[in-house]
């Protein structure tokens, strides 16, 4: 088992995701017009069709499929499938724009301790699931190594609540404000 050591590979950020496409032209149009990405220069040394796009601090590399007719056809929107997620400023604005563009989507809502996250799911031209959400409503609360290893759905939630209560008690005893509190647990 590999021991967790913070940043063993000295990673800096997510650079890009690559997506195999039936049609680079159709996917390029979708990622530009729907998601707001813009094309960037791609090295001339590649000997296959593709396109590079960039925005929001990440790149998307579109790769032309060698066999587009045999790519799986995904039609059902299922939030539990592989997907990429983008944070938005207004879920209602995104929903309105998707309706105007006649893009089929599904809505979901997650609740955690009275905090709500709204999600919209839809597909790109090749069936890759896209999520647009207001996930920044949820605080990022790191788990201890012990919590991760013993985390069932119920026990994990109890562990998280206990950790949050301990953090709040510690902050209160040190006369620290509780708003925007982020305390690493490992």
């Amino acid at each position: 088992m590999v021991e967790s050591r913070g940043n063993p590979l000295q990673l800096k950020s997510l650079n890009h995701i690559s997506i195999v496409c039936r049609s680079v032209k159709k996917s390029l149009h979708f990622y530009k017009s729907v998601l707001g990405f813009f094309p960037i220069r791609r090295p001339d040394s590649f000997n296959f069709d593709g396109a590079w796009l960039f925005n929001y601090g990440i790149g998307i590399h579109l790769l032309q499929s060698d066999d587009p007719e045999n790519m799986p056809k995904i039609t059902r929107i299922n939030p539990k499938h592989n997907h990429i997620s983008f944070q938005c400023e207004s879920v209602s604005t995104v929903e309105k724009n998707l309706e105007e563009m006649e893009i089929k989507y599904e809505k979901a809502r997650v609740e955690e301790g009275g905090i709500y996250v709204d999600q919209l799911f839809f597909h790109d031209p090749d069936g890759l699931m896209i999520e647009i959400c207001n996930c920044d409503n949820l605080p990022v609360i790191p788990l201890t190594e012990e919590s991760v290893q013993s985390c069932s759905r119920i026990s994990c939630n109890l562990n998280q609540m206990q950790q949050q209560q301990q953090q709040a008690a510690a902050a209160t005893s040190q006369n620290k404000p509780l708003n925007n509190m982020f305390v690493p647990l490992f």
Side-chain angles (χ1 to χ4, degrees):
M1 183 164 132
V2 177
E3 187 177 320
S4 174
R5 297 176 296 175
N7 190 1
L9 300 180
Q10 299 184 3
L11 302 179
K12 297 190 304 185
S13 66
L14 174 66
N15 182 270
H16 71 274
I17 61 167
S18 292
I19 302 169
V20 177
C21 309
R22 282 184 188 82
S23 165
V24 168
K25 183 178 178 180
K26 284 182 183 177
S27 292
L28 183 60
H29 174 74
F30 173 86
Y31 283 93
K32 284 172 41 182
S33 64
V34 175
L35 296 178
F37 281 80
F38 56 89
I40 61 172
R41 182 165 169 71
R42 181 175 177 254
D44 292 331
S45 59
F46 287 123
N47 61 359
F48 55 91
D49 191 19
W52 284 10
L53 301 109
F54 187 83
N55 206 351
Y56 320 111
I58 62 165
I60 293 181
H61 294 183
L62 303 175
L63 311 170
Q64 178 62 49
S65 171
D66 291 334
D67 191 4
E69 296 307 314
N70 286 322
M71 285 182 62
K73 292 182 177 36
I74 300 169
T75 56
R76 186 174 149 250
I77 296 174
N78 182 351
K80 292 192 280 184
H81 281 174
N82 293 332
H83 62 274
I84 58 175
S85 179
F86 296 94
Q87 179 69 37
C88 72
E89 292 182 28
S90 168
V91 174
S92 61
T93 299
V94 172
E95 187 173 9
K96 178 181 167 270
N97 290 341
L98 289 174
E99 288 172 3
E100 287 174 3
M101 292 184 272
E102 299 180 352
I103 294 175
K104 182 181 170 190
Y105 65 91
E106 288 194 14
K107 294 167 61 170
R109 178 173 254 196
V110 176
E111 186 271 335
E112 176 69 24
I115 298 171
Y116 294 92
V117 171
D118 295 305
Q119 304 164 295
L120 301 173
F121 293 92
F122 55 96
H123 288 134
D124 81 351
D126 297 296
L128 176 66
M129 185 77 59
I130 308 290
E131 173 189 3
I132 309 291
C133 67
N134 58 355
C135 294
D136 64 350
N137 288 351
L138 281 176
V140 175
I141 302 171
L143 298 174
T144 64
E145 191 65 34
E146 299 80 38
S147 298
V148 173
Q149 291 175 358
S150 67
C151 223
S152 73
R153 185 178 193 127
I154 295 170
S155 70
C156 185
N157 287 340
L158 291 173
N159 287 343
Q160 284 180 313
M161 287 177 17
Q162 289 170 347
Q163 289 171 356
Q164 288 171 345
Q165 289 170 349
Q166 290 169 354
Q167 290 172 7
T172 302
S173 70
Q174 296 174 6
N175 294 323
K176 292 183 179 178
L178 293 177
N179 58 337
N180 297 325
M181 185 175 76
F182 177 81
V183 179
L185 301 176
F186 47 90

